[in-house]
């Protein structure tokens, strides 16, 4: 039982990972900038379980890991980026001769990594669309899901696929970047591992890169920890501290982002010059049936099609409150045309990430920019 179990989301975010109150100490201790630490000159410190070097151990990073672990409901390891966490998962738990199943429509750099590094290491890579159908997992070592998938926002049933993976002897991991642990807790739904980019909504200020992996299995945790300690992809103390500070407002940020996405999606739906509007919170969205039972809240990302690259360019130039940028989950509303990065999407397909601006301002600005870009 973690310290914040039983409380609401806002309370859990504010208190997650904080040390016990002590007179004269800050609520969230500042970053500990240290590569080596003093050793006991006679006995060394490793045996005493203390920090002796910053790669395996840093108290600022441990506080952040405790916080994310409480929110995900498992033990957490922080990484220098989401991609570092994902590649740690795929390299530490998968061997030559193994087969992995990856989302065909998930974050494209994971597929690029699999096609180059994993394939060259003798790993068979199969890709399956998030909406399915998912084939038999017989003979598979690891299934990675990304739900909602980025950028198409399809959703799959984690509990069902975890049961099927386990029946076939496979591990199941979920990329929880888009949902965040307040949107869904994959470990509660039967996943063996959660992996995510903390660069996005989790920290939400567009000012740092972070990744993490969480699990309830001591064996999996030890394997990935050894991988991280020996390959060295850890976040620095300042980023870890900044991430922990930002985590405290996750509940507030997600609430506004999600409300903004609901309003933007409905406004886009009402226009005849916008097609393919996707937001898993819309009752007639194909993802709604699973999302509405599996997810505790729907993230602030909306996808739609403006028909051509030229119209997207005019829209992004005309908008005042929508920054053209390729990330999501931040305080500022951002959007990008996904085909420019190699995503298998139509030329006019846009991923728009709602920030925490006032809903009326955002809807009005997007409407004006669409009118001007028509
Ligand atoms: C779903 C998903 N997973 C992983 C990553 C990689 O995260 P990072 O950019 O922190 O390396 C991203 C980045 O956009 C992502 O969207």
């Amino acid at each position: 039982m973690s310290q914040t179990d039983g409380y609401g989301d806002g309370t859990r975010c504010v208190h997650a990972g904080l040390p016990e109150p002590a007179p004269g100490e800050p609520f969230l201790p500042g970053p500990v900038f240290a590569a080596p630490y003093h050793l006991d000159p006679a006995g060394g410190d490793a045996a005493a379980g203390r920090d002796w070097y910053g790669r395996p151990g840093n108290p600022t990073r441990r506080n952040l890991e405790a916080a994310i672990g409480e929110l995900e409901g498992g033990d957490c390891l922080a990484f220098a980026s989401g991609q570092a966490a994902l590649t740690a998962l795929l390299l530490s738990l998968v061997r030559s001769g193994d087969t992995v199943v990856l989302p065909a429509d998930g974050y494209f750099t994971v597929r690029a990594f699999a096609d180059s590094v994993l394939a060259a290491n003798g790993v068979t890579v199969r890709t399956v669309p998030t909406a399915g159908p998912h084939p038999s997992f017989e003979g598979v070592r690891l299934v990675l899901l990304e739900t909602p998938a980025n950028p198409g926002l399809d959703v799959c049933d984690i509990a069902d696929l975890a049961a099927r993976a386990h029946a076939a002897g496979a591990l199941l991991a979920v990329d929880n970047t888009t949902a965040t642990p307040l949107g869904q807790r994959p470990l509660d739904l039967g996943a063996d591992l959660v992996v995510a980019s903390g660069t996005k909504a989790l920290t939400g200020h567009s000012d740092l890169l972070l990744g993490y992996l969480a699990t309830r299995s001591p064996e999996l945790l030890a394997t990935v920890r050894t991988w991280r300690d020996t390959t060295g992809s850890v976040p620095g103390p300042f980023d870890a501290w900044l991430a922990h500070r930002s985590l405290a407002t996750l509940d507030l940020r997600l609430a506004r982002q999600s409300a903004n996405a609901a309003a933007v999606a409905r406004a886009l739906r009402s226009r005849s010059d916008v097609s393919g509007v996707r937001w898993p919170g819309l009752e007639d969205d194909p993802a709604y049936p699973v999302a509405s039972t599996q997810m505790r809240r729907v993230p602030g990302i909306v996808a739609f099609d403006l028909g051509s690259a030229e119209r997207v360019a005019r829209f992004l130039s005309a908008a005042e409150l929508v920054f053209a940028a390729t990330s999501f989950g931040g305080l500022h509303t951002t959007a990008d045309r996904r085909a420019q990065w190699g995503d298998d999407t139509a030329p006019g397909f846009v991923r728009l990430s709602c920030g925490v601006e006032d809903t009326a301002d955002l809807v009005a600005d997007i409407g004006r920019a669409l009118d001007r870009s028509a």
Side-chain angles (χ1 to χ4, degrees):
M1 167 115 176
S2 81
Q3 288 175 10
T4 53
D5 274 355
Y7 287 111
D9 285 354
T11 312
R12 292 167 62 234
C13 289
V14 168
H15 288 275
L18 297 186
E20 283 298 314
E25 295 296 328
F27 305 163
L28 175 65
V32 174
F33 295 111
Y37 303 82
H38 286 294
L39 292 176
D40 173 343
D45 271 4
R50 292 197 211 114
D51 290 325
W52 69 95
Y53 194 62
R55 179 159 26 78
N58 175 283
T60 312
R61 194 171 75 220
R62 267 201 304 281
N63 286 339
L64 173 68
E65 291 171 339
I68 299 174
E70 283 184 35
L71 297 181
E72 286 286 6
D75 289 314
C76 171
L77 294 168
F79 286 84
S81 68
Q83 199 57 21
L86 276 152
T87 55
L89 168 83
L90 292 168
L91 290 170
S92 66
L93 298 175
V94 176
R95 301 267 170 280
S96 177
D98 285 346
T99 298
V100 296
V101 174
L102 303 179
D105 47 354
Y107 183 52
F108 67 101
T109 310
V110 177
R111 282 195 305 283
F113 171 80
D115 290 345
S116 53
V117 179
L118 287 187
N121 285 352
V123 174
T124 302
V125 179
R126 285 194 214 140
T127 58
V128 180
T130 298
H134 285 82
S136 159
F137 296 137
E138 271 328 305
V140 171
R141 165 68 177 156
L142 175 77
V143 179
L144 175 67
L145 308 177
E146 189 185 309
T147 175
N150 165 30
L153 301 178
D154 275 329
V155 162
C156 58
D157 186 331
I158 296 172
D160 175 53
L161 291 167
R164 288 178 51 192
H166 294 157
L171 292 170
L172 186 114
V174 177
D175 184 328
N176 210 24
T177 303
T178 306
T180 83
L182 297 194
Q184 67 197 7
R185 299 220 309 182
L187 300 178
D188 289 347
L189 299 169
D192 301 288
L193 301 125
V194 175
V195 67
S197 169
T199 311
K200 317 294 178 188
L202 187 84
T203 59
H205 288 64
S206 307
D207 52 10
L208 59 85
L209 289 173
L210 181 76
Y212 70 87
L213 178 146
T215 180
R216 291 177 183 165
S217 156
E219 294 77 27
L220 293 175
L221 186 77
T223 302
V224 182
R225 185 191 295 281
T226 300
W227 173 270
R228 188 191 63 175
D229 289 353
T230 52
T231 56
S233 185
V234 290
F238 187 73
D239 281 359
W241 175 82
L242 201 53
H244 199 161
R245 193 181 80 146
S246 302
L247 201 57
T249 55
L250 177 61
D251 173 59
L252 297 173
R253 290 184 279 107
L254 288 182
R256 176 63 71 85
Q257 288 172 337
S258 191
N260 280 350
V264 167
R266 292 203 169 90
L268 292 172
R269 270 287 179 80
S270 71
R271 298 185 63 112
S272 57
D273 58 347
V274 178
S275 63
V277 179
R278 293 293 309 269
W279 185 61
L282 290 174
E283 284 176 13
D284 56 353
D285 189 280
Y288 184 83
V290 177
S292 59
T293 50
Q294 173 168 280
M295 301 188 72
R296 299 177 58 239
R297 46 174 102 194
V298 182
I301 298 161
V302 180
F304 54 94
D305 195 338
L306 292 185
S308 69
E310 293 72 24
R311 182 156 188 235
V312 176
R314 291 198 297 276
F315 166 69
L316 291 175
S317 305
E320 290 176 4
L321 300 181
V322 181
F323 291 161
T326 184
S327 193
F328 57 92
L331 297 174
H332 313 84
T333 296
T334 58
D336 65 339
R337 194 178 69 80
R338 294 307 300 172
Q340 73 187 296
W341 310 111
D343 269 349
D344 185 17
T345 48
F349 178 98
V350 175
R351 180 185 68 194
L352 185 137
S353 170
C354 294
V356 301
E357 297 88 350
D358 287 294
T359 307
D361 291 341
L362 192 57
V363 169
D365 187 61
I366 290 172
R368 262 193 311 271
L370 287 171
D371 291 342
R372 285 187 196 145
S373 69

